[in-house]
Amino acid sequence: MMISIGNFFFKYRNYLFIFLYLALFIPSPDIFTESDLGPNYYILPVTLGLIITISGQLIRGLTIGLAYIVRGGLNKKVYADKLVTEGIFNHCRNPLYVGNILMLFGVGILSNSILFVGILMPIFLFIYQAIVLAEENFLRNKFGADFNNYCSRVNRWWLSLKGIGSTFASMRFNAKRWILKEYNTQFVWLVGITLILLLNYPEITSGDTDFRNVLIAAFLVGLVLLYIFVRYMKKSGKMVD
């Protein structure tokens, strides 16, 4: 049953990520409150949220930059043309998904939303578990013993740091590939962080609404221009990985 659920949600996994980002702005009771932590309560969700979400992006970036996995599906179904086990995949079977989970959990903490962290994140984790089981079913059927051996030495979710230094030393980080593969995700992620910080925490701009609006406009314009530039460089073939 979980495999069937995973195959269904695999078709819509990219939209799921966008939906969850939009859900960050649904009104919700706060996790951290001024009544519990004092006037500087916001320092905790901002600091903790940024640490977690940036960690997720770093994991995604390192994964893509070292050994990109082509598992985007074929005809909206799970598909892989080869079994990738090098790079960060040598330390975790699903590092891209782990990165996604940390990114979303981090911005959930950053948004200080009980609804997002307490209800939507568990649903998201259930869906991801189902998707992974569907992918593993496909990989086991296609690669057989090779995939089983891989599973026996590498954890599904836990990122092991054992031998990570040797992994970095033996491979070259492809920064261009990271930029070209991640610029859409980076754009949505950075826009979300900008809006959460400046809209949810008036303390950051000392309650000055006009200054806050100027900052929002400046950051959004800068991010849009950067997005357009990277997209142009990719589509024109002036930047390739």
Side-chain angles (χ1 to χ4, degrees):
M1 181 178 178
M2 286 291 285
I3 292 173
S4 298
I5 294 172
N7 283 323
F8 172 79
F9 279 108
F10 181 86
K11 303 176 185 178
Y12 309 106
R13 66 199 186 286
N14 293 329
Y15 300 107
L16 177 67
F17 194 82
I18 294 174
F19 166 77
L20 284 170
Y21 250 86
L22 294 176
L24 290 166
F25 301 96
I26 298 175
S28 165
D30 293 339
I31 303 172
F32 309 96
T33 64
E34 185 175 355
S35 60
D36 290 333
L37 300 174
N40 293 324
Y41 77 97
Y42 65 94
I43 294 176
L44 183 57
V46 168
T47 303
L48 186 60
L50 287 176
I51 289 173
I52 294 172
T53 193
I54 290 172
S55 297
Q57 181 54 238
L58 286 175
I59 291 172
R60 281 189 60 88
L62 289 172
T63 301
I64 293 170
L66 290 178
Y68 184 64
I69 186 169
V70 181
R71 199 183 294 172
L74 183 65
N75 297 323
K76 295 185 178 181
K77 296 181 180 179
V78 177
Y79 177 80
D81 56 2
K82 67 176 182 176
L83 182 62
V84 178
T85 60
E86 63 266 23
I88 305 301
F89 291 98
N90 191 41
H91 302 271
C92 176
R93 301 208 305 263
N94 299 283
L96 292 174
Y97 289 163
V98 171
N100 286 348
I101 291 168
L102 290 176
M103 286 172 66
L104 285 170
F105 182 62
V107 292
I109 295 292
L110 187 65
S111 67
N112 204 12
S113 170
I114 286 180
L115 170 67
F116 190 90
V117 173
I119 298 177
L120 295 181
M121 276 303 300
I123 294 173
F124 177 65
L125 292 176
F126 170 80
I127 292 173
Y128 253 21
Q129 175 72 4
I131 289 174
V132 166
L133 291 176
E135 289 182 341
E136 289 185 351
N137 181 63
F138 172 87
L139 295 172
R140 186 169 287 108
N141 289 332
K142 182 168 184 176
F143 300 107
D146 287 341
F147 181 69
N148 288 330
N149 291 335
Y150 174 57
C151 291
S152 68
R153 64 181 180 82
V154 179
N155 192 275
R156 177 183 288 151
W157 293 111
W158 180 256
L159 180 62
S160 172
L161 297 181
K162 183 179 180 180
I164 195 77
S166 298
T167 296
F168 291 147
S170 63
M171 303 186 74
R172 181 182 67 86
F173 181 78
N174 189 332
K176 288 184 178 179
R177 180 168 63 208
W178 168 61
I179 293 171
L180 294 174
K181 299 294 185 184
E182 278 289 87
Y183 75 97
N184 282 311
T185 300
Q186 287 275 4
F187 175 74
V188 174
W189 179 62
L190 290 172
V191 167
I193 289 176
T194 298
L195 293 177
I196 290 169
L197 285 174
L198 294 176
L199 292 176
N200 285 21
Y201 300 103
E203 297 88 353
I204 292 175
T205 54
S206 301
D208 188 332
T209 303
D210 291 336
F211 180 50
R212 180 203 67 185
N213 293 340
V214 169
L215 283 180
I216 290 175
F219 276 109
L220 292 185
V221 168
L223 289 172
V224 168
L225 291 176
L226 185 58
Y227 175 87
I228 292 173
F229 172 73
V230 174
R231 185 171 179 82
Y232 164 75
M233 294 295 286
K234 177 180 180 179
K235 297 299 183 181
S236 66
K238 293 182 179 181
M239 181 184 288
V240 295
D241 59 6

